[in-house]
Amino acid sequence: MQHLKLSFISLLMVIMIKTAGAAVFMAGDKDALPSCQNPYLLEQVKKHIQDYQEEHPYKNIIEYRQQKLLLKNLSGFRQIASQDFDIDENIETANKLVTLKINAGLEDSDIVLCRSIGSDKDYIYILIYPEEGKSKVEILNTNKEEYTTEALSFLF
């Protein structure tokens, strides 16, 4: 009997381990979303910005410097409370937050909002929220003239 219990527990543990990576996001399950300090997330954000910059090369020396400085100064992100986000800080991010809450029916607890560490004026924002059983990551405020959120978003 003891051997049977151990076999069942071992089988159950194997099933749990194999299915842990395929966990689906449930509303309110904030742990399913990556944190702002996730090193792989930062790597992916930088990669998507760099890929976009390569697809849309600079038009003048000012844009060239902006593109290079953006990646050079992007050292990390910290989480900020989405419910306290002020429209005066960044209107694009505020509009995206309102759109997600109204159109997608998300609550503040379903959204992770990250702000870049560094520059006091030109923050880069990342919105992370559930979509298609994964985490959708949108990179905002990278270049006001060119970038769109659809071009700089990916599933994580």
Side-chain angles (χ1 to χ4, degrees), residues 91-154:
I91 193 162
E92 178 186 2
T93 303
N95 286 342
K96 187 63 184 179
L97 278 169
V98 170
T99 301
L100 282 174
K101 291 176 185 178
I102 292 172
N103 294 347
L106 296 176
E107 300 289 328
D108 286 313
S109 62
D110 299 327
I111 300 169
V112 174
L113 176 60
C114 308
R115 181 173 57 203
S116 60
I117 299 170
S119 172
D120 289 338
K121 289 198 285 188
D122 298 322
Y123 292 115
I124 303 298
Y125 295 92
I126 298 177
L127 279 172
I128 308 169
Y129 55 92
E131 184 171 290
E132 300 176 14
K134 295 187 177 189
S135 299
K136 175 127 184 200
V137 178
E138 291 195 34
I139 308 164
L140 306 172
N141 203 38
T142 53
N143 183 330
K144 293 176 178 82
E145 292 82 30
E146 291 291 328
Y147 298 150
T148 65
T149 58
E150 285 308 310
L152 287 170
S153 66
F154 58 94

Side-chain angles (χ1 to χ4, degrees), residues 14-134:
V14 168
I15 291 170
M16 288 173 59
I17 290 169
K18 290 192 177 223
T19 59
V24 177
F25 178 86
M26 300 299 285
D29 186 8
K30 195 172 184 175
D31 294 332
L33 298 172
S35 77
C36 298
Q37 292 80 31
N38 183 317
Y40 184 67
L41 176 67
L42 177 61
E43 180 183 313
Q44 290 299 304
V45 166
K46 285 182 175 182
K47 179 189 174 303
H48 278 81
I49 292 172
Q50 189 171 27
D51 289 349
Y52 190 85
Q53 287 177 347
E54 288 173 6
E55 290 174 20
H56 301 86
Y58 59 90
K59 296 176 187 160
N60 55 49
I61 193 69
I62 294 171
E63 281 186 18
Y64 171 77
R65 291 190 69 224
Q66 287 174 337
Q67 286 183 356
K68 295 300 177 194
L69 285 173
L70 175 70
L71 287 172
K72 181 182 177 193
N73 294 329
L74 193 58
S75 60
F77 292 90
R78 70 171 162 249
Q79 186 167 342
I80 58 175
S82 61
Q83 66 268 19
D84 298 332
F85 192 79
D86 186 9
I87 193 168
D88 292 332
E89 187 171 335
N90 184 275
I91 193 162
E92 178 186 2
T93 303
N95 286 342
K96 187 63 184 179
L97 278 169
V98 170
T99 301
L100 282 174
K101 291 176 185 178
I102 292 172
N103 294 347
L106 296 176
E107 300 289 328
D108 286 313
S109 62
D110 299 327
I111 300 169
V112 174
L113 176 60
C114 308
R115 181 173 57 203
S116 60
I117 299 170
S119 172
D120 289 338
K121 289 198 285 188
D122 298 322
Y123 292 115
I124 303 298
Y125 295 92
I126 298 177
L127 279 172
I128 308 169
Y129 55 92
E131 184 171 290
E132 300 176 14
K134 295 187 177 189

